């Protein structure tokens, strides 16, 4: 996500999030050598943030216009800097009277448990589960759109730009591609520890950077080719003012989905050497990486809107017609990226359920004498993971509204995961007294983000479930 902590290339970090054990919040018996620097932390953050969320930013800027669009991107960048600074302070806890020594909170969920207790950890786990499931839905929709775009680009290459649109491109359904992607994920989900393969993170990062740079470059090239900057101050005009309000809300949700990396921040911080203090290095890395990411997001969003104006597509890559080979390659990178990324977000959800139900008791011997094949098969794992992938695919098929779904997932989980829990942990860690100036400022920041998230959630929900879905 982006997300939600960004995108899937952070999977090995995400793998530890659902753990209910607080072992990662115990004093270290054998100190670990940490060698990370501000440069490595910045690289991890940029890799975590930049991903498929960038493809919807041009559409978001088109809804908000030339003033609101860039302002919204900068606003969420500022929010991300503030909340990441608050959370960075929660990595180390000193002088705990019960445990003694220096406590390192090495993951988000363990930090919530350590500072706020088990009940709050379960509550945060609920939103985390929604975020993981929702990311699977978003990835299914994104992949289907990219596969359809590859098909259309190849057709244009053969028949020319005047070729009529196919059913899917003319507004029909991408169900075929969603089902194909779901089938592939059902198979990949059965591979043990697929999300922990070291090469997968590197591969995902390369793919995401490639298609993001292609979108950035093609947008800039099209603006130069057009010789004019399209778009307006108020964004795309709509027939009804109410529809415009909901579109604005949806676009805010899309931007919220693209930015935060809360879920992996503490695990990145756990790689840093000290002195200087890990929190100081992490804050510096966060500011630098968010500045770079914001420049990149502004480029993709603004160049996309300037290139297409009121016709800005929901997925930036689908708006370009030529060069066919480059667009095909970029869309192929999206597909390959999300094939692995889907598993990086789904495997933690699998782990939670499978630990709870004790899957090892469900192992049976399966033998096919004619093929000379004999394997131990975990029936629960086979059935549950297949059912999970089928449920994600069914939701994507039922609600195939890319920007609205991205907005809904981003907005609904933004405040609790990225603002509320980090704020409450910071207040608990620093023992900030109620009604002091610092306490009021932090609570005002949280309340402002809650209002923005609520507005974006309602608008995105209307876009997904309302009568005027598009």
């Amino acid at each position: 996500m982006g997300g939600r902590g960004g995108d899937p290339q952070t999977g090995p970090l995400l793998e530890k999030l659902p753990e209910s054990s607080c072992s990662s919040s115990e004093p270290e018996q054998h100190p670990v050598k940490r060698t990370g620097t501000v440069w490595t932390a910045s690289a991890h953050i940029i890799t975590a943030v930049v991903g498929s969320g960038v493809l919807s930013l041009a559409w978001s800027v088109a809804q908000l216009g030339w003033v609101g669009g860039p302002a919204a991107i900068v606003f969420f960048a500022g929010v991300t800097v503030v909340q990441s600074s608050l959370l960075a302070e929660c990595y180390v806890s000193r002088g705990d009277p019960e445990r003694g020594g220096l406590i390192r909170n090495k993951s988000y969920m363990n930090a919530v448990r350590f500072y706020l207790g088990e009940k709050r950890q379960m509550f945060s786990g609920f939103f985390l589960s929604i975020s993981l499931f929702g990311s699977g839905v978003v990835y299914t929709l994104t992949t289907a759109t990219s596969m359809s775009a590859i098909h259309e680009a190849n057709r244009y290459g053969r028949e020319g730009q005047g070729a009529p649109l196919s059913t899917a491109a003319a507004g029909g359904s991408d169900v075929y591609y969603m089902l194909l992607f779901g089938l592939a994920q059902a198979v990949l989900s059965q591979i043990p520890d697929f999300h922990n393969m070291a090469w997968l993170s590197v591969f995902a990062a390369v793919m995401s950077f490639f298609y993001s740079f292609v979108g950035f470059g093609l947008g800039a090239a099209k603006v130069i080719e057009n010789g004019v900057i399209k778009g307006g101050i108020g964004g795309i005009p709509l027939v009804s003012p109410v529809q415009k309000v909901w579109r604005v809300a949806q676009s805010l949700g899309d931007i919220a989905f693209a930015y935060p990396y809360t879920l992996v921040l503490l695990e990145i911080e756990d790689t840093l050497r000290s002195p200087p203090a890990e929190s100081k290095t992490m804050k510096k890395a966060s500011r630098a990486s968010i500045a770079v990411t914001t420049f990149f997001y502004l480029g993709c969003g603004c160049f996309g809107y300037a290139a297409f104006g009121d016709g800005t597509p929901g997925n930036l890559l689908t708006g370009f017609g030529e060069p066919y080979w480059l667009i095909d390659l970029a869309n192929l990178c999206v597909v390959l990226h999300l094939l692995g990324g889907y598993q990086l977000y789904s495997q933690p959800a699998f782990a939670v359920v499978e630990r709870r139900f004790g899957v090892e008791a469900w192992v049976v011997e399966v033998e096919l004498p004619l093929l000379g094949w004999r394997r131990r098969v975990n029936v629960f794992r086979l059935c549950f993971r297949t059912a999970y992938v089928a449920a994600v695919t069914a939701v994507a098929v039922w609600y195939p509204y890319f920007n609205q779904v991205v907005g809904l997932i981003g907005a609904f989980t933004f405040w609790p995961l990225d603002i509320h829990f980090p704020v409450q942990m910071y207040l608990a860690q620093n023992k900030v007294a109620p009604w002091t100036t610092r306490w009021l400022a932090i609570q005002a920041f949280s309340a402002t983000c809650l209002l923005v998230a609520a507005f974006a959630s309602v608008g995105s929900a209307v876009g997904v479930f309302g009568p005027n879905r598009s």
Side-chain angles (χ1 to χ4, degrees):
M1 145 216 144
R4 206 66 357 223
D7 251 340
Q9 44 269 42
T10 56
L13 300 174
L14 279 171
E15 184 268 335
K16 294 185 285 184
L17 290 177
E19 295 284 355
S20 59
S21 168
C22 62
S23 60
S24 291
S25 294
E26 297 289 350
E28 290 184 334
Q29 301 299 323
H30 305 285
V32 177
K33 184 178 181 181
R34 296 172 172 86
T35 59
T37 66
V38 66
W39 293 104
T40 62
S42 298
H44 280 309
I45 294 169
I46 293 173
T47 301
V49 174
V50 176
S52 59
V54 72
L55 299 177
S56 67
L57 290 179
W59 182 88
S60 299
V61 173
Q63 308 308 316
L64 296 167
W66 279 121
V67 174
I73 292 176
V74 173
F75 169 79
F76 279 100
V79 167
T80 304
V81 169
V82 173
Q83 62 91 4
S84 64
S85 297
L86 296 178
L87 186 56
E89 291 283 350
C90 300
Y91 170 62
V92 171
S93 177
R94 293 181 173 85
D96 185 90
E98 296 183 3
R99 307 186 189 194
L102 183 145
I103 310 296
R104 295 179 184 272
N105 296 292
K106 302 178 183 180
S107 73
Y108 180 88
M109 293 295 283
N110 284 320
V112 173
R113 180 190 177 102
F114 179 79
Y115 288 111
L116 306 179
E118 290 188 24
K119 291 184 178 180
R120 303 287 282 277
Q121 185 197 35
M122 292 176 61
F123 188 53
S124 65
F126 166 74
F127 286 98
L128 175 60
S129 298
I130 292 177
S131 178
L132 296 175
F133 186 91
S135 295
V137 175
V138 171
Y139 289 177
T140 302
L141 294 173
T142 307
T143 303
T145 301
S146 294
M147 293 172 72
S148 178
I150 292 174
H151 173 74
E152 291 303 312
N154 289 338
R155 236 170 33 85
Y156 286 147
R158 293 192 307 267
E159 304 173 21
Q161 286 283 2
L165 292 174
S166 66
T167 303
S173 175
D174 289 335
V175 171
Y176 170 77
Y177 297 112
M178 295 183 202
L179 295 177
L180 192 62
F181 182 72
L183 179 62
Q185 293 302 332
V187 174
L188 291 176
S189 67
Q190 303 303 323
I191 300 177
D193 294 324
F194 180 79
H195 62 308
N196 281 331
M197 296 180 181
W199 60 268
L200 189 58
S201 293
V202 177
F203 179 79
V206 172
M207 295 296 102
S208 64
F209 275 109
F210 181 80
Y211 66 68
S212 298
F213 274 112
V214 168
F216 188 112
L218 289 179
K222 191 167 182 64
V223 172
I224 296 173
E225 178 187 339
N226 293 340
V228 63
I229 296 177
K230 298 183 179 181
I233 298 297
I236 298 175
L238 295 176
V239 176
S240 166
V242 175
Q243 283 184 319
K244 181 65 177 179
V245 170
W246 296 142
R247 283 291 184 88
V248 168
Q250 293 160 24
S251 66
L252 292 176
D254 280 15
I255 299 173
F257 182 85
Y259 255 116
Y261 54 98
T262 306
L263 301 182
V264 296
L265 184 146
L266 292 178
E267 302 196 32
I268 294 174
E269 191 168 351
D270 190 48
T271 67
L272 300 177
R273 68 189 181 199
S274 64
E278 296 90 340
S279 60
K280 183 178 294 186
T281 303
M282 193 67 198
K283 290 176 185 178
K284 186 176 180 181
S286 293
R287 289 193 295 267
S289 55
I290 292 302
V292 172
T293 303
T294 300
F295 172 78
F296 188 68
Y297 278 7
L298 286 170
C300 286
C302 294
F303 275 129
Y305 182 40
F308 297 106
D310 291 351
T312 302
N315 182 327
L316 180 60
L317 290 178
T318 63
F320 302 105
E322 294 178 339
Y324 302 117
W325 67 270
L326 183 59
I327 296 168
D328 274 0
L329 185 57
N331 278 300
L332 180 61
C333 286
V334 173
V335 174
L336 294 175
H337 174 202
L338 299 186
L339 272 172
Y342 183 106
Q343 289 302 313
L344 294 176
Y345 273 109
S346 299
Q347 294 279 350
F350 298 158
V352 173
V353 176
E354 291 171 3
R355 274 197 303 270
R356 178 162 298 182
F357 285 91
V359 295
E360 298 308 319
W362 298 75
V363 177
V364 298
E365 289 281 351
V366 177
E367 185 174 1
L368 298 176
L370 295 178
L371 300 177
W373 187 85
R374 184 176 182 177
R375 291 290 186 275
R376 290 169 59 86
V377 177
N378 191 308
V379 176
F380 182 90
R381 180 176 294 163
L382 176 65
C383 295
F384 170 70
R385 295 189 177 193
T386 302
Y388 180 93
V389 173
V392 170
T393 305
V395 172
V397 169
W398 197 257
Y399 300 105
Y401 315 108
F402 173 69
N403 296 97
Q404 290 76 8
V405 171
V406 170
L408 181 60
I409 299 300
F412 185 71
T413 60
F414 170 73
W415 184 76
L417 290 179
D418 302 320
I419 305 299
H420 174 69
F421 290 113
V423 161
Q424 294 305 313
M425 287 190 286
Y426 175 83
L427 294 176
Q429 200 263 5
N430 290 275
K431 298 180 175 59
V432 180
W435 305 110
T436 59
T437 301
R438 181 163 55 152
W439 186 89
L440 289 171
I442 292 173
Q443 295 292 1
F445 166 74
S446 179
T448 301
C449 293
L450 174 60
L451 292 175
V452 174
F455 172 61
S457 296
V458 172
S460 298
V462 170
V464 174
F465 306 112
N468 297 316
R469 298 175 294 188
S470 61

